[in-house]
Amino acid sequence: MEFSWDVIACLGLAVLVHVLVYIFVMQKRAKSIDGRHVVVTGGSSGIGISLAIECVTKGAHVTIIARDEKKLKAAVDRMELVRQRPDQKLQYRSLDIGGDYEEVARVLAETEVTVGPIYALLNCAGMAICGVFENVSVRDVHKLMNVNFFGSYNCTRHVLSKMKRAREGIIVFTSSQAAMFGIYGYGPYAASKYALRAMAETIAMESREHGVSVTLALPCDTNTPGFEEEEKSKPRETKIISGGGGLLKPEDMAKAILQDALKGNFVSIVGAESWLITMLGGGLLPWDGFFTNLLHALVIGPLRLFAYGLHKYFNSIIRKCAKEDRSGDKVEAK
């Protein structure tokens, strides 16, 4: 994939200007979660436990929720290592948040009795099952939607009205770069993450005037147990397309998510590649700040050339793999 030097220079200038605008214009004062109750779903591993640990270091009372009780106990032990004071409350609940809403509401209400009102809900529970669209079973598609969408929906439905009445609160939805544009092999998974993105945008618009801030986290490939499972079901084409960006550490993504959430930023991303894809795929996302939006208006035209080249590159990978598969079939037939 070749670009002219003019396009490359334009991309470099766009990134530089964006960084300068962020440093000198967009810095916001972060909220404090010291002594507040934070709930982290998917908190037994990956980005979830990293976020929980970050919250503990900031003095929050933290409840983590997942299904595997053994992993939850081990996660709480890790949280105990960074406890800031003796009266800090650290606990877990084993729960299928994508199941019955009434049960989810009951358990969350129970945690509020023991720890206090939920000030921040960090929705991190998620999973990935990859495959060519028609090869992913109906059962797996329902599983993806239950974990990725309905888990966040159920928890958010319980806390949102209470946060609005209190006129304060933070909600994080952990989506994916796959919510920016569809990629080969990610069909049902991407659909579940697009749904999260839409829910986050809607709730942000409905809740801003009630003092509730919403952050949409859009992590790229992150080195987590979930990613290891994802790799097992990825088609060869998907591995090649997504393999060039490297792996992010969950601790780095967690730091970025919490920082953006506490500053009230809607979008949370890490890295130049994620910024480019998010800007191109999320033209109507509510980016914060006039100068950031002005920058986007100036550079999004030239970046369309980048998007065109990216799609051409992806399609060339798919054609190459298909040609190799056909050649392999011919050899086997002989």
Side-chain angles (χ1 to χ4, degrees), residues 109-129:
E110 177 188 285
T111 70
E112 292 179 290
V113 171
T114 57
V115 183
I118 297 170
Y119 175 71
L121 171 64
L122 313 183
N123 291 297
C124 294
M127 66 175 299
I129 299 173

Side-chain angles (χ1 to χ4, degrees), residues 267-307:
V267 176
S268 182
I269 51 178
V270 173
E273 182 181 331
S274 292
W275 176 77
L276 287 169
I277 292 173
T278 303
M279 189 170 68
L280 284 167
L284 277 174
L285 288 176
W287 293 81
D288 295 290
F290 171 78
F291 289 101
T292 295
N293 284 279
L294 178 62
L295 170 67
H296 291 182
L298 293 173
V299 304
I300 201 165
L303 286 178
R304 280 296 302 161
L305 296 176
F306 171 83

